[in-house]
Amino acid sequence: MGELERIVDDCRALVEDPSYPAVRRWLADHPGGKVLGHFQVYFPEELAHAAGMLPVKIMGAGSTVQIRQADARIAAFVCSIVRSSLELALSGRLDFLSLFVIPSICDAVRNACGVWVRNFPQFPTRVLYFPQNAASAHAVDYLAGEYARLVRLIEETTGQPVTAERLAASIAVFNENRRLLRELYRIKRETPWLLSALEAYVLTRAGGVMPREEHNALLRRVLELVGQRPAKRQDRIRVVFEGGYCEQPPLDMLAVIQDACYIVDDDLLIGLRWLVDDVATDGDPLANLAWAYLNASSYSPVQHDPRKPRAEMLLRRLRAAGADAAIVAAPKMCEPGLEEQVHYTRTLEAAGIPYLVLEFEETMTTFEQVGIQVETFAESLLFEFA
Amino acid sequence: MTAQAQDLVGATRKESRRLFDSWWQEMTAAAGDGRPTAYVFVMGSFNELLRVFDFVINFPEITALQTAVRGQSMAYLQAAEDYGFSPDICGYVKVDVGLQLKGGEHPHGRVPRPALALATNMCNTYVKWAEFWEHHYGCPVFVLDLPAWRGAGAAPDPADPAFERDRRYVEGQLRELIALCERITGRPFDIDRLRESMAETNRMAAVYHEVLALNRHRPAPFNAAREGITYQGIANLYRGAPEGTQFFALARDELRERIRLGLGTVPDEKFRLLLAGTACYTHFKRFVELFESWGGVFVLSTYMIFAGGGFVPGFGYDLTRPLESLAEQMLQAAWWGFTGSMFYPQEWLANAVRDWGVDGICLHGVKSCRTTSTGLPDVREWLRTQRDVPGLFIQSDLVDARLWSDAQIKNRVDAFFEALAARKAGAGR
């Protein structure tokens, strides 16, 4: 096994371990250190980083944890990621949290915030309202104010002042991380035979549960190694995977898909790549972060922004990646994802772009059906293109 | 019964029919003559502002609910699912999608096309719903952010700089909305008309609270699930209009008369209940009957709170500064809705149990509404362990008959009443 494969394996082990080993290592190395957990999709981790906190993405438990207690606290028709994240907390696996922030992305998770507040009085749980009136002339100012409100809470939690200088330094760390992730995705788009979608995914996801400086070092090494791979291009169709912005598809599902296609771009964990350019490090850092969220950002079904028509953005993603087709997925019981799916598929149909609709759940354990669907889809396209 | 009493008893029902019919006539006429119609939702109402521009106002949640009560929602749901919408999303959305796909043809009339769609973030599904109209009709969509409950803290204080910051944001958005309405209708904004409409809402809100309070009486003069849904409908449709105030004055007078005559909503009231959530409208009569057959009366519902106008206790617009006050009240209403009946409702529910003399709470989770339903099992557990309030948690839907399981729900309801009866007997009541 080469060094790159070993790094990928380590990352996979890290993201599949519900005990958050990297977080616990960081706490052992930083006695008295505080951890800020945040739910999907995007969170300005710089705010926590600038106070010396470790920001950690809470993104469900996949099939690694059996839901035992959460089902008694949350209605049955709620998506899996909301239930499994609560299960992680109820089972003590998130005992390291000093603060938890839930962006107001959907009705289920915002309501679940009340469940967290009632059940975990030992740490604050807060809702963060990102503007849904994103085109308003007042939105940047409002969001900067929201960030300032959070900064005050972070300062109370840590006892550390969050100065503009510290914030600027943190923004620089995360700019570097986003630049490295953009490079990783460029390789996946341009030479997908050098880096599989699954590899890129676990490398990206590891960033959500480990200190970002470590992740930056890891990605730099990966990018050096990828170029040395002897892999050769294969005759596969190129697809974009859309539908992984919140609940994550099981790793084995991605593996099944990539057996038949090159996944050249996707919206998996889009929150880690939400800001598509460097954030300015001069001037007011909170205003810079707020401006970037609204004006230099990707798209997802849970942000309403008339300046970013999502179906058109999907077409652009397909064109930029030179993709032949799209896989339009949505998690079971995910209201925004399932609603967006309709508009995506109708737009793709109108544009004459082939697509495959998939529904998934993070707890899925059998993938034969998905495999057959994807294989049939890919073969039919190869036959058509031939 | 005197002639005056005979006139009053039943008068509210007749008047509500007239008002609903009148609304449908206006909508159907607009579908023909193209008068600008605004689509809005029951949480975060814009009525006062829209009346200034003479918009016809469509409430798709109400039209969807009405199809279910008529037993006709399934055809609309099916049309939406055939179009591509999943069985696992909000039924209200799908009924409306089906309605739009059928050219607006509704059992009560015809829904006009939207000239403007308005949503608030009080329900994220509102935003996705409005996006469907945007895609389908190309109409403008305006989303108003109402940042409210953030997980902690007491009720917002207008003197708090953080609240003032939120209020300024909402006011700024309202000014942008006004400019949009001017562009769509070609009418200039008239702040005096806004003031008149807000004054009317002030009057209506005061009587609405009087009506709610009358149900503290034993026996309760109305059922908050059955009559309550009519009251909510009128509160939304006629908010800011004199007909709305007059309706609630009539309802108040009828309820007072019923109390004077000793007329409860059931002949022999045995259990006073609170409904957290909504009823099931495909089986509306049956839903209420399951409880009334045990002498159980819903004396209050959270639906009447979060979707009945959002009239915060002590509600009153300051007419000397209309836009500022509108922004302030919308924020207060959002905060009240989130903490009084949705995300963090336990204290409000416990207080309501005390104030309305409630024996138990029915928490009805509906697949169509994650906003109101997600945390209900946890709320029931909190009330049981922290306040010794008995709770029943059942699940079905608003408009999807496939999710109603009669035997299962009846079993649970019956078991709940048996436990309530034993509890009462044990308490020597």
Side-chain angles (χ1 to χ4, degrees):
Chain A
M1 182 186 286
E3 184 183 355
L4 178 55
E5 288 72 24
R6 188 179 50 73
I7 293 172
V8 169
D9 269 14
D10 288 349
C11 285
R12 179 166 184 157
L14 193 65
V15 302
E16 288 193 305
D17 188 338
S19 70
Y20 291 83
V23 176
R24 295 187 189 281
R25 272 200 302 275
W26 182 85
L27 282 169
D29 294 344
H30 298 79
K34 308 277 188 189
V35 178
L36 180 150
H38 55 91
F39 195 75
Q40 301 276 44
V41 173
Y42 166 78
F43 179 76
E45 296 181 293
E46 289 91 334
L47 307 187
H49 186 269
M53 293 185 94
L54 178 66
V56 174
K57 209 167 182 46
I58 305 300
M59 46 192 145
S63 56
T64 63
V65 168
Q66 193 174 354
I67 308 289
R68 293 177 191 278
Q69 302 172 66
D71 278 354
R73 309 233 162 231
I74 283 188
F77 36 73
V78 170
C79 63
S80 188
I81 185 174
V82 167
R83 286 185 283 131
S84 70
S85 297
L86 178 65
E87 185 69 28
L88 286 171
L90 288 168
S91 60
R93 291 178 171 90
L94 303 182
D95 58 358
F96 48 74
L97 289 181
S98 292
L99 175 60
F100 186 48
V101 180
I102 296 182
S104 175
I105 56 166
C106 72
D107 303 328
V109 73
R110 190 168 50 157
N111 192 313
C113 179
V115 180
W116 282 71
V117 173
R118 276 188 294 276
N119 284 278
F120 310 114
Q122 61 271 33
F123 58 83
T125 299
R126 291 291 183 275
V127 180
L128 169 60
Y129 290 97
F130 284 111
Q132 290 288 38
N133 191 353
S136 168
H138 309 281
V140 171
D141 185 49
Y142 158 74
L143 185 56
E146 282 298 277
Y147 288 172
R149 187 192 285 253
L150 264 178
V151 163
R152 284 193 292 279
L153 182 59
I154 287 168
E155 287 176 332
E156 284 169 21
T157 305
T158 60
Q160 294 292 320
V162 176
T163 63
E165 290 73 26
R166 283 185 175 190
L167 272 169
S170 296
I171 288 171
V173 170
F174 284 80
N175 277 345
E176 170 72 354
N177 191 249
R178 289 184 283 262
R179 188 188 65 72
L180 291 165
L181 288 174
R182 285 199 295 274
E183 184 59 14
L184 199 72
Y185 266 71
R186 186 190 64 74
I187 291 169
K188 201 172 80 153
R189 265 197 315 274
E190 295 178 2
T191 50
W193 50 92
L194 289 181
L195 186 70
S196 78
L198 186 56
E199 289 172 329
Y201 176 73
V202 295
L203 289 166
T204 303
R205 183 165 172 167
V209 292
M210 70 195 300
R212 211 49 61 91
E213 291 86 346
E214 277 182 37
H215 193 234
N216 284 347
L218 181 150
L219 289 178
R220 278 194 293 271
R221 183 62 186 147
V222 164
L223 292 170
E224 285 169 11
L225 295 169
V226 166
Q228 301 162 19
R229 269 188 158 172
K232 285 186 183 160
R233 179 179 188 159
Q234 294 182 2
D235 187 20
R236 296 185 187 187
I237 65 157
R238 298 165 62 90
V239 301
V240 161
F241 181 96
E242 193 82 6
Y245 64 96
C246 183
E247 183 167 327
Q248 297 301 292
L251 299 184
D252 289 343
M253 177 171 160
L254 292 177
V256 163
I257 295 171
Q258 73 178 23
D259 280 348
C261 322
Y262 284 132
I263 303 176
V264 287
D265 205 349
D266 57 61
D267 67 343
L268 295 161
L269 294 170
I270 195 68
L272 292 170
R273 299 175 286 124
W274 182 259
L275 307 185
V276 295
D277 214 338
D278 284 356
V279 179
T281 50
D282 56 344
D284 178 352
L286 297 184
N288 292 342
L289 282 166
W291 186 90
Y293 174 84
L294 289 157
N295 298 304
S297 53
S298 188
Y299 64 98
S300 90
V302 294
Q303 189 204 32
H304 176 78
D305 188 341
R307 302 164 307 170
K308 292 192 288 190
R310 280 183 296 276
E312 178 56 35
M313 300 288 279
L314 171 58
L315 294 182
R316 277 184 225 167
R317 179 174 277 164
L318 281 152
R319 283 195 290 267
D324 307 306
I327 291 180
V328 185
K332 195 165 175 53
M333 301 293 178
C334 170
E335 182 98 35
L338 290 166
E339 280 161 352
E340 198 66 47
Q341 204 174 44
V342 180
H343 188 50
Y344 280 156
T345 54
R346 294 202 154 252
T347 304
L348 290 166
E349 214 158 283
I353 296 172
Y355 63 88
L356 173 68
V357 171
L358 291 180
E359 192 174 82
F360 68 87
E361 198 167 11
E362 60 167 15
T363 51
M364 280 166 69
T365 51
T366 57
F367 302 95
E368 288 84 357
Q369 190 65 30
V370 174
I372 292 167
Q373 282 178 275
V374 175
E375 207 172 300
T376 308
F377 178 64
E379 279 174 6
S380 69
L381 289 181
L382 281 173
F383 180 73
E384 190 180 313
F385 295 153
Chain B
M1 200 180 286
T2 65
Q4 189 199 2
Q6 280 179 341
D7 287 346
L8 268 176
V9 174
T12 311
R13 187 183 304 170
K14 279 185 209 151
E15 178 62 2
S16 69
R17 279 188 191 152
R18 190 188 73 77
L19 290 175
F20 276 109
D21 286 348
S22 172
W23 172 56
W24 270 107
Q25 283 159 14
E26 188 182 41
M27 291 235 288
T28 304
D33 63 25
R35 186 177 151 199
T37 300
Y39 283 22
V40 300
F41 297 100
V42 298
M43 291 194 297
S45 175
F46 297 86
N47 277 30
E48 294 90 338
L49 202 54
L50 295 172
R51 287 185 188 284
V52 174
F53 295 97
D54 283 331
F55 277 104
V56 175
I57 304 173
N58 175 31
F59 283 88
E61 288 151 297
I62 296 178
T63 59
L65 186 153
Q66 286 179 319
T67 66
V69 173
R70 282 282 195 105
Q72 295 183 36
S73 55
M74 292 311 296
Y76 296 103
L77 283 172
Q78 198 58 57
E81 290 180 8
D82 290 347
Y83 188 78
F85 283 91
S86 164
D88 291 332
I89 66 154
C90 170
Y92 272 177
V93 173
K94 282 188 292 184
V95 167
D96 177 68
V97 166
L99 183 59
Q100 305 300 339
L101 295 174
K102 290 171 184 282
E105 292 302 329
H106 186 279
H108 288 277
R110 191 163 161 221
V111 174
R113 294 163 61 103
L116 170 65
L118 295 170
T120 70
N121 67 336
M122 284 196 73
C123 170
N124 289 289
T125 300
Y126 285 171
V127 182
K128 305 306 294 178
W129 194 342
E131 286 173 355
F132 169 76
W133 301 321
E134 182 181 40
H135 302 148
H136 196 66
Y137 293 112
C139 67
V141 167
F142 186 93
V143 177
L144 183 86
D145 282 319
L146 292 169
W149 182 74
R150 290 174 171 91
D157 175 4
D160 181 346
F163 181 81
E164 173 57 17
R165 189 180 178 85
D166 288 347
R167 195 204 58 73
R168 279 204 311 272
Y169 179 42
V170 176
E171 184 188 333
Q173 295 176 82
L174 288 174
R175 290 183 187 279
E176 290 173 336
L177 173 59
I178 287 168
L180 177 62
C181 291
E182 287 181 321
R183 279 202 301 279
I184 291 171
T185 62
R187 289 170 179 268
F189 175 59
D190 179 345
I191 199 160
D192 289 325
R193 281 195 68 186
L194 176 65
R195 202 176 268 119
E196 283 167 25
S197 189
M198 291 169 75
E200 202 58 59
T201 301
N202 279 349
R203 288 188 279 273
M204 187 173 94
V207 197
Y208 186 82
H209 277 295
E210 284 184 64
V211 166
L212 284 183
L214 286 170
N215 236 23
R216 295 187 186 197
H217 188 269
R218 288 173 189 266
F222 73 90
N223 190 311
R226 187 176 45 230
E227 285 80 21
I229 197 69
T230 302
Y231 298 163
Q232 285 172 244
I234 303 294
N236 281 290
L237 299 179
Y238 290 92
R239 183 190 178 106
E243 297 96 314
T245 312
Q246 288 155 14
F247 171 82
F248 283 107
L250 180 68
R252 177 197 58 201
D253 293 346
E254 179 181 340
L255 294 172
R256 282 179 179 162
E257 187 62 15
R258 292 181 70 92
I259 288 170
R260 192 183 68 78
L261 295 169
L263 293 174
T265 189
V266 291
D268 183 15
E269 177 181 299
K270 290 195 177 74
F271 300 100
R272 295 171 64 80
L273 307 170
L274 196 159
L275 178 61
T278 67
C280 171
Y281 297 104
T282 54
H283 294 74
F284 192 28
K285 190 173 168 215
R286 175 67 173 152
F287 184 94
V288 175
E289 176 187 275
L290 283 173
F291 295 88
E292 287 191 339
S293 63
W294 284 86
V297 177
F298 290 113
V299 297
L300 186 63
S301 80
T302 60
Y303 207 20
M304 290 194 76
I305 303 302
F306 64 76
F311 301 130
V312 182
F315 176 95
Y317 289 125
D318 179 351
L319 303 178
T320 63
R321 46 183 197 103
L323 271 179
E324 294 88 333
S325 184
L326 183 61
E328 188 175 295
Q329 287 295 341
M330 289 186 92
L331 268 173
Q332 297 268 21
W335 198 93
W336 195 53
F338 291 162
T339 57
S341 47
M342 286 191 276
F343 307 146
Y344 205 57
Q346 63 275 11
E347 295 287 356
W348 183 88
L349 286 169
N351 291 339
V353 164
R354 181 194 62 210
D355 296 343
W356 262 261
V358 167
D359 298 304
I361 299 185
C362 170
L363 304 103
H364 182 214
V366 289
K367 191 175 184 180
S368 276
C369 189
R370 276 115 178 153
T371 294
T372 59
S373 302
T374 297
L376 286 180
D378 188 60
V379 172
R380 182 185 69 150
E381 189 61 8
W382 190 95
L383 288 165
R384 185 182 70 80
T385 57
Q386 307 292 316
R387 292 290 187 276
D388 191 29
V389 175
L392 163 71
F393 179 67
I394 51 175
Q395 297 186 85
S396 71
D397 194 51
L398 298 160
V399 291
D400 191 339
R402 295 168 296 191
L403 297 168
W404 175 265
S405 171
D406 195 81
Q408 193 181 55
I409 291 175
K410 183 176 187 309
N411 277 344
R412 292 182 62 86
V413 171
D414 288 351
F416 179 60
F417 276 110
E418 283 163 11
L420 282 185
R423 183 183 167 92
K424 273 201 168 184
R429 283 185 283 177

